[in-house]
């Protein structure tokens, strides 16, 4: 049996500080004013940036990535504030136009009849502009937008949504074709992820075909089970008994009932499965019913000699070392040692890693909708520059929706 934990890119969600007593009351008041996407929020816009980090927008706030708390939007895009009369955005997308490097991977925000272009979180000179100046034929006061590369659409395009009308904008010819998809909910935000297209409405989403608008499968689905880390929703794991039968999704608590709020990292070693959440590690026997070993959970410090939040972990086949990723560091821990302790602490040319996997083909480090491949732990340890990212595909993960 093969086991896949579902961090968002597979089909999962994850999720988190402490403050001096004198600041706790002020922090509590400030936190109370922040929106909580786990309460069921209808997003204004969703878009990845040029580095692949997905941002979710609501009013003057945003969420960076798939877990964590809301932040003021102007902390990442400084013009998105009331002073510049951009307290929110109507729609957003990341441009896909490889033939035009001056525009490729730039983020476009739309508000009323204006468009704003950002690169590296910096507003480009000459913006804002009228929408008609950059996207002739596209209406104002949009509901949402999403890029559609050639091969998924007939040409590099952008889908602009307003009500049930979809305005398909050809980036090369600068022409617009308008369709009406009355069968699709009004999309208040839209996202392209793993070569699939998602229309967000309320706290739900519906997957659709970008050419025909066709919806296959059972929808809508609750976004809190798939696109964010919420304590009372998801997370799930994917189990593969045979390739013929395919993957099946189950709540994590079905197999590991003590782990109620998702996991930060997971690895297996000597017929045991290690699940790490916050500063706790749960060790289960890997037999059919996954029994928690007596005496667990223990702290990560006590079990592995590691302090601080763990972003990802992996053990390679026939190896006795667990590799722990924390921010831009990778720690090596010898699992045969007693007590266990960090034997190497090396820099990592990447940050924000969601999960990691090691098999006979090498190591894959997953970040959002992309992954970075290394041939071996030695190449990973010696590397000072990150390899080019590759897109995670549905086939790779065995996901159908």
């Amino acid at each position: 049996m093969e086991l896949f934990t579902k961090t968002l890119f597979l089909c999962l969600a994850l999720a988190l500080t402490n403050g001096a007593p004198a600041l706790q009351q002020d922090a509590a008041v400030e936190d109370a004013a922040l929106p909580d996407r786990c309460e069921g929020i209808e997003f204004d816009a969703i878009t990845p940036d040029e580095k692949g980090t997905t941002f979710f927008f609501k009013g003057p706030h945003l969420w960076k990535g798939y877990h964590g708390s809301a932040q003021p939007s102007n902390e990442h895009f400084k013009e998105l504030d009331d002073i510049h009369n951009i307290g929110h955005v109507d729609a957003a997308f990341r441009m896909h136009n490889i033939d035009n490097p001056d525009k490729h991977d730039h983020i476009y925000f739309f508000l009323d009849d204006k468009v704003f272009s950002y690169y590296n979180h910096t507003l480009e000179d000459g913006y804002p502009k009228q929408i008609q100046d950059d996207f002739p034929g596209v209406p104002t006061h949009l509901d949402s937008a999403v890029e559609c590369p050639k091969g998924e659409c007939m040409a590099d395009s952008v889908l602009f949504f307003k009500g049930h009308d979809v305005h398909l904008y050809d980036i090369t010819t600068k022409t617009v074709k308008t369709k009406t998809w009355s069968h699709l909910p009004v999309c208040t935000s839209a996202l392209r992820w793993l070569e699939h297209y998602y229309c967000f409405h309320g706290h739900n989403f519906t997957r659709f075909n970008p050419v025909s608008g066709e919806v296959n499968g059972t929808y809508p689905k609750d976004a809190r089970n798939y696109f964010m880390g919420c304590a009372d929703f998801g997370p799930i794991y994917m189990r593969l008994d045979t390739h013929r039968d395919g993957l099946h999704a189950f709540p994590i608590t079905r197999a590991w009932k003590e782990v109620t709020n998702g996991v930060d990292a997971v690895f297996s070693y000597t017929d045991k499965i290690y699940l790490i959440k916050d500063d706790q590690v749960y060790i289960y026997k890997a037999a059919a019913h996954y029994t928690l070993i007596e005496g667990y959970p223990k702290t990560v410090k006590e079990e592995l000699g590691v302090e601080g939040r763990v972003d990802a972990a992996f053990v390679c086949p026939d190896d006795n070392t667990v590799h722990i990723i924390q921010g831009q560091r990778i720690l090596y821990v010898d699992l045969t040692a007693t007590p266990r302790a960090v034997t190497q602490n090396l820099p990592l040319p990447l940050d924000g890693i969601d999960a990691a996997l090691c098999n006979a083909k090498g190591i894959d480090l997953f970040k959002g909708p992309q992954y970075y491949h290394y041939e071996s732990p030695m190449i990973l340890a010696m590397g000072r520059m990150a390899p080019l990212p590759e897109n995670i595909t549905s086939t790779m993960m065995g996901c159908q929706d």
Side-chain angles (χ1 to χ4, degrees):
M1 182 188 76
E2 297 178 45
L3 179 70
F4 296 84
T5 56
K6 183 182 151 191
T7 50
L8 177 85
F9 44 78
L10 289 182
C11 317
L12 174 300
L14 311 167
L16 49 329
T17 145
N18 210 349
L23 300 177
Q24 286 180 350
Q25 185 172 357
D26 289 343
V29 172
E30 184 176 331
D31 288 345
L34 293 175
D36 181 359
R37 57 180 166 181
C38 292
E39 292 181 353
I41 277 179
E42 184 171 81
F43 296 112
D44 294 333
I46 305 173
T47 184
D49 67 3
E50 67 280 353
K51 298 178 182 178
T53 300
T54 300
F55 289 87
F56 299 76
F57 294 84
K58 180 64 177 180
H61 295 95
L62 61 75
W63 291 262
K64 180 182 179 182
Y66 303 114
H67 56 93
S69 301
Q71 306 167 42
S73 299
N74 61 4
E75 288 186 4
H76 294 274
F77 305 93
K78 66 180 182 180
E79 291 81 11
L80 298 186
D81 55 31
D82 293 333
I83 296 174
H84 295 83
N85 298 314
I86 321 172
H88 72 282
V89 294
D90 294 333
F93 77 93
R94 182 182 65 182
M95 176 69 76
H96 183 93
N97 189 5
I98 296 175
D99 294 334
N100 187 353
D102 290 337
K103 298 295 183 182
H104 182 63
D105 276 351
H106 289 223
I107 301 175
Y108 288 81
F109 293 122
F110 298 82
L111 174 64
D112 298 336
D113 59 352
K114 300 290 196 301
V115 59
F116 304 76
S117 178
Y118 281 81
Y119 187 73
N120 197 24
H121 294 223
T122 301
L123 185 66
E124 292 189 272
D125 291 341
Y127 286 87
K129 296 180 180 179
Q130 294 290 319
I131 293 176
Q132 293 298 312
D133 293 341
D134 266 11
F135 302 95
V138 172
T140 61
H141 299 85
L142 295 162
D143 289 323
S144 59
V146 64
E147 72 280 6
C148 188
K150 183 178 180 179
E152 297 170 27
C153 284
M154 296 299 293
D156 283 339
S157 308
V158 183
L159 277 65
F160 291 99
F161 294 82
K162 185 171 182 177
H164 289 290
D165 289 339
V166 181
H167 307 271
L168 180 63
Y169 181 85
D170 187 310
I171 293 170
T172 302
T173 64
K174 296 189 175 182
T175 56
V176 177
K177 294 180 180 178
T178 300
K179 308 175 183 180
T180 299
W181 290 346
S182 56
H183 62 283
L184 199 65
V186 173
C187 306
T188 60
S189 56
L191 175 67
R192 173 182 176 264
W193 182 68
L194 296 185
E195 301 174 7
H196 290 313
Y197 293 78
Y198 299 90
C199 163
F200 287 77
H201 44 95
H203 56 77
N204 296 318
F205 70 90
T206 296
R207 202 188 95 184
F208 65 94
N209 183 298
V211 176
S212 66
E214 183 179 3
V215 176
N216 292 311
T218 304
Y219 291 95
K221 295 181 179 178
D222 196 315
R224 292 170 291 185
N225 282 320
Y226 296 84
F227 289 92
M228 58 202 78
C230 298
D232 297 325
F233 296 86
I236 69 173
Y237 71 96
M238 307 297 289
R239 195 180 79 190
L240 179 64
D241 295 313
T242 69
H243 285 277
R244 178 169 180 166
D245 291 336
L247 285 159
H248 297 275
F250 301 98
I252 282 182
T253 51
R254 183 177 187 268
W256 302 284
K257 63 180 184 294
E258 294 83 4
V259 184
T260 57
N261 283 326
V263 297
D264 295 329
V266 58
F267 66 91
S268 60
Y269 178 68
T270 61
D271 297 324
K272 296 181 180 65
I273 296 175
Y274 292 64
L275 301 179
I276 299 174
K277 176 61 180 175
D278 296 327
D279 65 345
Q280 300 288 305
V281 57
Y282 301 75
I283 303 181
Y284 290 83
K285 296 177 182 178
H289 298 293
Y290 304 114
T291 305
L292 182 67
I293 293 178
E294 186 176 353
Y296 287 87
K298 294 182 179 179
T299 66
V300 178
K301 171 67 174 176
E302 183 181 2
E303 182 65 28
L304 299 174
V306 172
E307 294 188 73
R309 180 189 172 93
V310 175
D311 294 323
F314 65 89
V315 175
C316 293
D318 303 318
D319 194 6
N320 296 313
T321 299
V322 60
H323 304 77
I324 302 288
I325 295 174
Q326 294 182 309
Q328 290 186 279
R329 309 293 300 182
I330 182 165
L331 285 57
Y332 290 52
V333 177
D334 183 355
L335 293 172
T336 65
T338 303
R340 292 165 174 170
V342 175
T343 59
Q344 294 187 73
N345 186 332
L346 303 175
L348 185 69
L350 294 164
D351 192 14
I353 296 301
D354 295 313
L357 176 68
C358 183
N359 56 30
K361 296 180 181 179
I363 301 162
D364 293 327
L365 303 183
F366 298 91
K367 179 179 179 179
Q370 297 179 314
Y371 71 98
Y372 301 81
H373 180 77
Y374 291 86
E375 294 295 329
S376 69
M378 183 178 71
I379 293 175
L380 173 60
M382 294 174 60
R384 293 297 175 262
M385 293 183 63
L388 290 175
E390 300 179 58
N391 290 327
I392 301 168
T393 65
S394 303
T395 302
M396 178 182 180
M397 292 303 170
C399 297
Q400 299 301 315
D401 291 327

